[in-house]
Amino acid sequence: MTKSTLFDTLSLGDLTLPNRVVMAPLTRNRALHDGDVPHALNAEYYAQRASAGLIISEATQISPEGKGYAFTPGIYSDEQVKGWQLVTDAVHAKDGRIFAQLWHVGRISHTSLQLDDQAPVAPSAIAAEAQVFDGEGFVSTSKPRALTTSDIAGIVDDYRKAAINAKNAGFDGIELHAANGYLLDQFLRDGSNKRGDEYGGTPANRARLVIEVLEALTEVWDAGRIGIRLSPFSQFNGIDDSDPMATFSHVVKKINELNIGYLHLIEGETGGERDLPEGKSIEALKSLFDGVYMANNGYDQELATDAVEAKSVDLVAFGRPFIANPDLVERLAQGAELNTVNEATLYGGGGEGYTDYPILNTRSAAA
Ligand code: PHB
């Protein structure tokens, strides 16, 4: 049997990815402050990383209401679509591929980030124990209002429009962000979803919104060009679920029926511990999905190489290593040393700590 390696091609829908090294979605808070519009600096940053097998854009709000942090980009206005076109053109000019990650933060927001200082929205009126960046500093999230059943139909529609906008902006596909305690994850979990209607209660009811959104997305994109990101065992953003195995076994089985391109799991605690206690199993969940499996969370060269060789994962999404190493694919191929991330420049600002990380052989990343 021949071994797969990180540098083999992979078919995803009708796309051929040149390698298995994916750039994970990474919030960098560098959209234009007026209108949350992507611009030339963002295009340069993504184009520098175009040798990834696939780039997943930073999380991108589908509506003004879906925003939870200052200076994150949107994908609902004409200006934003034009801005994203700069990004996708720049990535394609370097022979790359980029999916848009579609995001609604739900209760992970603050009134000051919402239109007319309104309360953020959520499945139930329960505040999260979490903080958001309001442009000046970190503030506790505001108490949300519970969505009505008809509001929910409007949110499905916002996702559909965002998917159309992603197509018009030249993206190669879309990833539905249903992880990390944001709106769709809030619906999935019994700690944040106390609804008495068809969107609350059983795992099937709590998963209804995610599935309705995915169905809407498949009306716009070929299913093979759609992925979904889940974080079944993470407690990030104050998420709480009494039985995540039951919740996510149902979710993954339903997703599998839609034949989407890939399942992207954050394995363990977001940005933290990978080990799971007895009874919680990533293996069990991914065995329920027949498409491409993308793994994320704390992968380094050795872990990624072993996982791909063992065929237990198809793609590995690297987050922090891609921030500091625009040429991560080449560095992994050569076994070269990696640059370290400058923590001070992660969120907000300009090109410093964004487009100025060096590539191998001391050439500048822009060359
Ligand atoms: C963040 O902005 O902190 C953030 C955004 C999206 C995630 C996780 C964290 O999935």
PDB file of all heavy atoms in Angstrom, residues 25-29 59 69 72 101 103 131 138 177 179-180 182 229 236-237 266 270 347, ligand 1:
ATOM      1  N   PRO A  25      -9.370  29.024   9.194  1.00  0.00           N
ATOM      2  CA  PRO A  25      -9.952  30.374   9.337  1.00  0.00           C
ATOM      3  C   PRO A  25      -9.354  31.079  10.550  1.00  0.00           C
ATOM      4  O   PRO A  25      -9.272  30.491  11.637  1.00  0.00           O
ATOM      5  CB  PRO A  25     -11.450  30.085   9.548  1.00  0.00           C
ATOM      6  CG  PRO A  25     -11.532  28.663  10.012  1.00  0.00           C
ATOM      7  CD  PRO A  25     -10.354  27.955   9.422  1.00  0.00           C
ATOM      8  N   LEU A  26      -8.935  32.330  10.372  1.00  0.00           N
ATOM      9  CA  LEU A  26      -8.212  33.054  11.431  1.00  0.00           C
ATOM     10  C   LEU A  26      -8.703  34.494  11.513  1.00  0.00           C
ATOM     11  O   LEU A  26      -8.545  35.263  10.560  1.00  0.00           O
ATOM     12  CB  LEU A  26      -6.715  33.060  11.102  1.00  0.00           C
ATOM     13  CG  LEU A  26      -6.022  31.697  11.150  1.00  0.00           C
ATOM     14  CD1 LEU A  26      -4.747  31.700  10.313  1.00  0.00           C
ATOM     15  CD2 LEU A  26      -5.728  31.301  12.587  1.00  0.00           C
ATOM     16  N   THR A  27      -9.290  34.844  12.623  1.00  0.00           N
ATOM     17  CA  THR A  27      -9.757  36.215  12.838  1.00  0.00           C
ATOM     18  C   THR A  27      -8.560  37.138  13.034  1.00  0.00           C
ATOM     19  O   THR A  27      -7.730  36.902  13.898  1.00  0.00           O
ATOM     20  CB  THR A  27     -10.690  36.259  14.067  1.00  0.00           C
ATOM     21  OG1 THR A  27     -11.896  35.582  13.730  1.00  0.00           O
ATOM     22  CG2 THR A  27     -11.018  37.669  14.496  1.00  0.00           C
ATOM     23  N   ARG A  28      -8.476  38.207  12.223  1.00  0.00           N
ATOM     24  CA  ARG A  28      -7.342  39.134  12.327  1.00  0.00           C
ATOM     25  C   ARG A  28      -7.785  40.599  12.481  1.00  0.00           C
ATOM     26  O   ARG A  28      -6.941  41.483  12.609  1.00  0.00           O
ATOM     27  CB  ARG A  28      -6.424  38.994  11.084  1.00  0.00           C
ATOM     28  CG  ARG A  28      -5.906  37.576  10.803  1.00  0.00           C
ATOM     29  CD  ARG A  28      -5.079  36.975  11.942  1.00  0.00           C
ATOM     30  NE  ARG A  28      -4.013  37.816  12.405  1.00  0.00           N
ATOM     31  CZ  ARG A  28      -2.779  37.862  11.873  1.00  0.00           C
ATOM     32  NH1 ARG A  28      -2.487  37.089  10.837  1.00  0.00           N
ATOM     33  NH2 ARG A  28      -1.853  38.651  12.370  1.00  0.00           N
ATOM     34  N   ASN A  29      -9.093  40.867  12.410  1.00  0.00           N
ATOM     35  CA  ASN A  29      -9.652  42.212  12.676  1.00  0.00           C
ATOM     36  C   ASN A  29      -8.956  43.315  11.882  1.00  0.00           C
ATOM     37  O   ASN A  29      -8.614  44.373  12.425  1.00  0.00           O
ATOM     38  CB  ASN A  29      -9.569  42.528  14.182  1.00  0.00           C
ATOM     39  CG  ASN A  29     -10.132  41.417  15.046  1.00  0.00           C
ATOM     40  OD1 ASN A  29      -9.516  40.353  15.186  1.00  0.00           O
ATOM     41  ND2 ASN A  29     -11.308  41.621  15.586  1.00  0.00           N
ATOM     42  N   ALA A  59     -13.392  34.142   9.643  1.00  0.00           N
ATOM     43  CA  ALA A  59     -14.842  34.149   9.840  1.00  0.00           C
ATOM     44  C   ALA A  59     -15.412  35.496   9.395  1.00  0.00           C
ATOM     45  O   ALA A  59     -14.857  36.554   9.715  1.00  0.00           O
ATOM     46  CB  ALA A  59     -15.159  33.894  11.307  1.00  0.00           C
ATOM     47  N   TYR A  69     -17.248  41.240  16.908  1.00  0.00           N
ATOM     48  CA  TYR A  69     -15.940  41.829  17.230  1.00  0.00           C
ATOM     49  C   TYR A  69     -15.731  43.006  16.279  1.00  0.00           C
ATOM     50  O   TYR A  69     -16.202  42.983  15.138  1.00  0.00           O
ATOM     51  CB  TYR A  69     -14.799  40.830  17.005  1.00  0.00           C
ATOM     52  CG  TYR A  69     -14.968  39.516  17.737  1.00  0.00           C
ATOM     53  CD1 TYR A  69     -15.721  38.489  17.183  1.00  0.00           C
ATOM     54  CD2 TYR A  69     -14.357  39.301  18.978  1.00  0.00           C
ATOM     55  CE1 TYR A  69     -15.885  37.277  17.842  1.00  0.00           C
ATOM     56  CE2 TYR A  69     -14.510  38.092  19.642  1.00  0.00           C
ATOM     57  CZ  TYR A  69     -15.270  37.084  19.069  1.00  0.00           C
ATOM     58  OH  TYR A  69     -15.428  35.891  19.721  1.00  0.00           O
ATOM     59  N   THR A  72     -14.039  42.958  12.005  1.00  0.00           N
ATOM     60  CA  THR A  72     -14.101  41.695  11.255  1.00  0.00           C
ATOM     61  C   THR A  72     -14.868  41.968   9.961  1.00  0.00           C
ATOM     62  O   THR A  72     -15.778  42.804   9.933  1.00  0.00           O
ATOM     63  CB  THR A  72     -14.796  40.590  12.073  1.00  0.00           C
ATOM     64  OG1 THR A  72     -16.094  41.051  12.475  1.00  0.00           O
ATOM     65  CG2 THR A  72     -13.972  40.219  13.301  1.00  0.00           C
ATOM     66  N   GLN A 101     -15.602  31.597   4.902  1.00  0.00           N
ATOM     67  CA  GLN A 101     -16.239  31.025   6.092  1.00  0.00           C
ATOM     68  C   GLN A 101     -17.399  31.927   6.534  1.00  0.00           C
ATOM     69  O   GLN A 101     -17.201  33.102   6.858  1.00  0.00           O
ATOM     70  CB  GLN A 101     -15.244  30.841   7.245  1.00  0.00           C
ATOM     71  CG  GLN A 101     -15.849  29.874   8.270  1.00  0.00           C
ATOM     72  CD  GLN A 101     -15.234  29.937   9.640  1.00  0.00           C
ATOM     73  OE1 GLN A 101     -14.967  31.027  10.146  1.00  0.00           O
ATOM     74  NE2 GLN A 101     -15.039  28.793  10.266  1.00  0.00           N
ATOM     75  N   TRP A 103     -20.371  33.238   8.904  1.00  0.00           N
ATOM     76  CA  TRP A 103     -20.386  33.365  10.377  1.00  0.00           C
ATOM     77  C   TRP A 103     -21.535  34.218  10.871  1.00  0.00           C
ATOM     78  O   TRP A 103     -21.796  35.284  10.331  1.00  0.00           O
ATOM     79  CB  TRP A 103     -19.068  34.053  10.737  1.00  0.00           C
ATOM     80  CG  TRP A 103     -18.598  34.113  12.138  1.00  0.00           C
ATOM     81  CD1 TRP A 103     -18.801  33.218  13.139  1.00  0.00           C
ATOM     82  CD2 TRP A 103     -17.749  35.135  12.692  1.00  0.00           C
ATOM     83  NE1 TRP A 103     -18.118  33.613  14.264  1.00  0.00           N
ATOM     84  CE2 TRP A 103     -17.470  34.782  14.019  1.00  0.00           C
ATOM     85  CE3 TRP A 103     -17.175  36.305  12.177  1.00  0.00           C
ATOM     86  CZ2 TRP A 103     -16.657  35.571  14.856  1.00  0.00           C
ATOM     87  CZ3 TRP A 103     -16.366  37.080  12.988  1.00  0.00           C
ATOM     88  CH2 TRP A 103     -16.114  36.713  14.313  1.00  0.00           C
ATOM     89  N   GLN A 131     -16.029  37.144  26.372  1.00  0.00           N
ATOM     90  CA  GLN A 131     -15.683  38.534  26.121  1.00  0.00           C
ATOM     91  C   GLN A 131     -15.499  38.760  24.627  1.00  0.00           C
ATOM     92  O   GLN A 131     -15.142  37.824  23.893  1.00  0.00           O
ATOM     93  CB  GLN A 131     -14.375  38.864  26.828  1.00  0.00           C
ATOM     94  CG  GLN A 131     -14.472  38.714  28.336  1.00  0.00           C
ATOM     95  CD  GLN A 131     -13.689  39.775  29.057  1.00  0.00           C
ATOM     96  OE1 GLN A 131     -12.523  39.986  28.737  1.00  0.00           O
ATOM     97  NE2 GLN A 131     -14.307  40.468  29.992  1.00  0.00           N
ATOM     98  N   PHE A 138     -11.511  44.639  25.641  1.00  0.00           N
ATOM     99  CA  PHE A 138     -12.406  43.492  25.767  1.00  0.00           C
ATOM    100  C   PHE A 138     -13.539  43.817  26.726  1.00  0.00           C
ATOM    101  O   PHE A 138     -13.314  44.404  27.781  1.00  0.00           O
ATOM    102  CB  PHE A 138     -11.622  42.254  26.209  1.00  0.00           C
ATOM    103  CG  PHE A 138     -10.843  41.670  25.049  1.00  0.00           C
ATOM    104  CD1 PHE A 138      -9.572  42.124  24.742  1.00  0.00           C
ATOM    105  CD2 PHE A 138     -11.431  40.702  24.231  1.00  0.00           C
ATOM    106  CE1 PHE A 138      -8.880  41.612  23.653  1.00  0.00           C
ATOM    107  CE2 PHE A 138     -10.740  40.186  23.148  1.00  0.00           C
ATOM    108  CZ  PHE A 138      -9.459  40.643  22.854  1.00  0.00           C
ATOM    109  N   HIS A 177     -19.626  28.026   9.428  1.00  0.00           N
ATOM    110  CA  HIS A 177     -19.048  28.062  10.769  1.00  0.00           C
ATOM    111  C   HIS A 177     -20.130  27.679  11.771  1.00  0.00           C
ATOM    112  O   HIS A 177     -21.023  28.481  12.080  1.00  0.00           O
ATOM    113  CB  HIS A 177     -18.529  29.472  11.052  1.00  0.00           C
ATOM    114  CG  HIS A 177     -17.683  29.595  12.287  1.00  0.00           C
ATOM    115  ND1 HIS A 177     -17.600  28.615  13.246  1.00  0.00           N
ATOM    116  CD2 HIS A 177     -16.869  30.597  12.718  1.00  0.00           C
ATOM    117  CE1 HIS A 177     -16.773  29.008  14.213  1.00  0.00           C
ATOM    118  NE2 HIS A 177     -16.322  30.210  13.911  1.00  0.00           N
ATOM    119  N   ALA A 179     -19.192  26.217  14.804  1.00  0.00           N
ATOM    120  CA  ALA A 179     -18.312  25.821  15.910  1.00  0.00           C
ATOM    121  C   ALA A 179     -18.172  26.956  16.927  1.00  0.00           C
ATOM    122  O   ALA A 179     -18.768  28.028  16.791  1.00  0.00           O
ATOM    123  CB  ALA A 179     -16.928  25.459  15.348  1.00  0.00           C
ATOM    124  N   ASN A 180     -17.385  26.673  17.971  1.00  0.00           N
ATOM    125  CA  ASN A 180     -16.828  27.683  18.876  1.00  0.00           C
ATOM    126  C   ASN A 180     -17.830  28.581  19.587  1.00  0.00           C
ATOM    127  O   ASN A 180     -17.529  29.737  19.896  1.00  0.00           O
ATOM    128  CB  ASN A 180     -15.803  28.542  18.120  1.00  0.00           C
ATOM    129  CG  ASN A 180     -14.536  27.744  17.832  1.00  0.00           C
ATOM    130  OD1 ASN A 180     -14.302  26.710  18.452  1.00  0.00           O
ATOM    131  ND2 ASN A 180     -13.722  28.213  16.896  1.00  0.00           N
ATOM    132  N   TYR A 182     -20.588  30.013  18.630  1.00  0.00           N
ATOM    133  CA  TYR A 182     -21.313  31.059  17.905  1.00  0.00           C
ATOM    134  C   TYR A 182     -22.743  30.577  17.616  1.00  0.00           C
ATOM    135  O   TYR A 182     -23.159  29.510  18.089  1.00  0.00           O
ATOM    136  CB  TYR A 182     -20.527  31.481  16.659  1.00  0.00           C
ATOM    137  CG  TYR A 182     -19.197  32.088  17.064  1.00  0.00           C
ATOM    138  CD1 TYR A 182     -17.992  31.433  16.838  1.00  0.00           C
ATOM    139  CD2 TYR A 182     -19.157  33.293  17.763  1.00  0.00           C
ATOM    140  CE1 TYR A 182     -16.780  31.966  17.274  1.00  0.00           C
ATOM    141  CE2 TYR A 182     -17.941  33.840  18.202  1.00  0.00           C
ATOM    142  CZ  TYR A 182     -16.776  33.170  17.956  1.00  0.00           C
ATOM    143  OH  TYR A 182     -15.595  33.708  18.399  1.00  0.00           O
ATOM    144  N   ARG A 229     -17.671  23.465   9.781  1.00  0.00           N
ATOM    145  CA  ARG A 229     -16.737  23.363  10.919  1.00  0.00           C
ATOM    146  C   ARG A 229     -17.534  23.217  12.213  1.00  0.00           C
ATOM    147  O   ARG A 229     -18.449  24.016  12.491  1.00  0.00           O
ATOM    148  CB  ARG A 229     -15.876  24.615  10.989  1.00  0.00           C
ATOM    149  CG  ARG A 229     -14.705  24.474  11.952  1.00  0.00           C
ATOM    150  CD  ARG A 229     -13.830  25.700  11.967  1.00  0.00           C
ATOM    151  NE  ARG A 229     -12.439  25.349  12.216  1.00  0.00           N
ATOM    152  CZ  ARG A 229     -11.578  26.109  12.864  1.00  0.00           C
ATOM    153  NH1 ARG A 229     -11.939  27.296  13.328  1.00  0.00           N
ATOM    154  NH2 ARG A 229     -10.333  25.726  13.045  1.00  0.00           N
ATOM    155  N   PHE A 236     -15.376  26.517  24.388  1.00  0.00           N
ATOM    156  CA  PHE A 236     -15.013  27.886  24.004  1.00  0.00           C
ATOM    157  C   PHE A 236     -16.253  28.788  23.991  1.00  0.00           C
ATOM    158  O   PHE A 236     -17.338  28.347  23.603  1.00  0.00           O
ATOM    159  CB  PHE A 236     -14.404  27.799  22.595  1.00  0.00           C
ATOM    160  CG  PHE A 236     -13.686  29.032  22.145  1.00  0.00           C
ATOM    161  CD1 PHE A 236     -12.442  29.346  22.644  1.00  0.00           C
ATOM    162  CD2 PHE A 236     -14.249  29.861  21.193  1.00  0.00           C
ATOM    163  CE1 PHE A 236     -11.765  30.484  22.203  1.00  0.00           C
ATOM    164  CE2 PHE A 236     -13.580  30.992  20.742  1.00  0.00           C
ATOM    165  CZ  PHE A 236     -12.337  31.302  21.249  1.00  0.00           C
ATOM    166  N   ASN A 237     -16.092  30.031  24.402  1.00  0.00           N
ATOM    167  CA  ASN A 237     -17.197  31.001  24.432  1.00  0.00           C
ATOM    168  C   ASN A 237     -18.341  30.551  25.330  1.00  0.00           C
ATOM    169  O   ASN A 237     -19.519  30.818  25.046  1.00  0.00           O
ATOM    170  CB  ASN A 237     -17.717  31.295  23.019  1.00  0.00           C
ATOM    171  CG  ASN A 237     -16.891  32.356  22.306  1.00  0.00           C
ATOM    172  OD1 ASN A 237     -16.376  33.274  22.950  1.00  0.00           O
ATOM    173  ND2 ASN A 237     -16.744  32.232  21.002  1.00  0.00           N
ATOM    174  N   ILE A 266     -12.731  20.663  15.049  1.00  0.00           N
ATOM    175  CA  ILE A 266     -11.741  21.110  16.022  1.00  0.00           C
ATOM    176  C   ILE A 266     -11.690  19.997  17.067  1.00  0.00           C
ATOM    177  O   ILE A 266     -12.683  19.710  17.739  1.00  0.00           O
ATOM    178  CB  ILE A 266     -12.148  22.451  16.658  1.00  0.00           C
ATOM    179  CG1 ILE A 266     -12.242  23.527  15.559  1.00  0.00           C
ATOM    180  CG2 ILE A 266     -11.153  22.855  17.747  1.00  0.00           C
ATOM    181  CD1 ILE A 266     -12.806  24.848  16.027  1.00  0.00           C
ATOM    182  N   THR A 270     -10.851  24.196  21.819  1.00  0.00           N
ATOM    183  CA  THR A 270     -10.368  25.162  20.830  1.00  0.00           C
ATOM    184  C   THR A 270      -9.081  25.839  21.303  1.00  0.00           C
ATOM    185  O   THR A 270      -9.058  26.463  22.372  1.00  0.00           O
ATOM    186  CB  THR A 270     -11.451  26.243  20.569  1.00  0.00           C
ATOM    187  OG1 THR A 270     -12.654  25.571  20.201  1.00  0.00           O
ATOM    188  CG2 THR A 270     -11.026  27.209  19.478  1.00  0.00           C
ATOM    189  N   TYR A 347      -4.513  40.742  16.522  1.00  0.00           N
ATOM    190  CA  TYR A 347      -5.847  41.296  16.267  1.00  0.00           C
ATOM    191  C   TYR A 347      -5.775  42.795  16.014  1.00  0.00           C
ATOM    192  O   TYR A 347      -5.397  43.555  16.903  1.00  0.00           O
ATOM    193  CB  TYR A 347      -6.775  41.018  17.448  1.00  0.00           C
ATOM    194  CG  TYR A 347      -6.833  39.550  17.801  1.00  0.00           C
ATOM    195  CD1 TYR A 347      -6.328  39.075  19.007  1.00  0.00           C
ATOM    196  CD2 TYR A 347      -7.379  38.622  16.908  1.00  0.00           C
ATOM    197  CE1 TYR A 347      -6.384  37.722  19.319  1.00  0.00           C
ATOM    198  CE2 TYR A 347      -7.425  37.275  17.209  1.00  0.00           C
ATOM    199  CZ  TYR A 347      -6.921  36.829  18.414  1.00  0.00           C
ATOM    200  OH  TYR A 347      -6.961  35.501  18.717  1.00  0.00           O
TER     201      TYR A 347
HETATM  202  C1  PHB B   1     -12.293  35.185  17.627  1.00  0.00           C
HETATM  203  O1  PHB B   1     -12.445  36.228  16.997  1.00  0.00           O
HETATM  204  O2  PHB B   1     -11.802  35.169  18.759  1.00  0.00           O
HETATM  205  C2  PHB B   1     -12.739  33.929  17.046  1.00  0.00           C
HETATM  206  C3  PHB B   1     -13.439  33.932  15.863  1.00  0.00           C
HETATM  207  C4  PHB B   1     -13.879  32.750  15.309  1.00  0.00           C
HETATM  208  C5  PHB B   1     -13.612  31.569  15.962  1.00  0.00           C
HETATM  209  C6  PHB B   1     -12.891  31.550  17.130  1.00  0.00           C
HETATM  210  C7  PHB B   1     -12.456  32.742  17.672  1.00  0.00           C
HETATM  211  O3  PHB B   1     -14.072  30.422  15.476  1.00  0.00           O
END
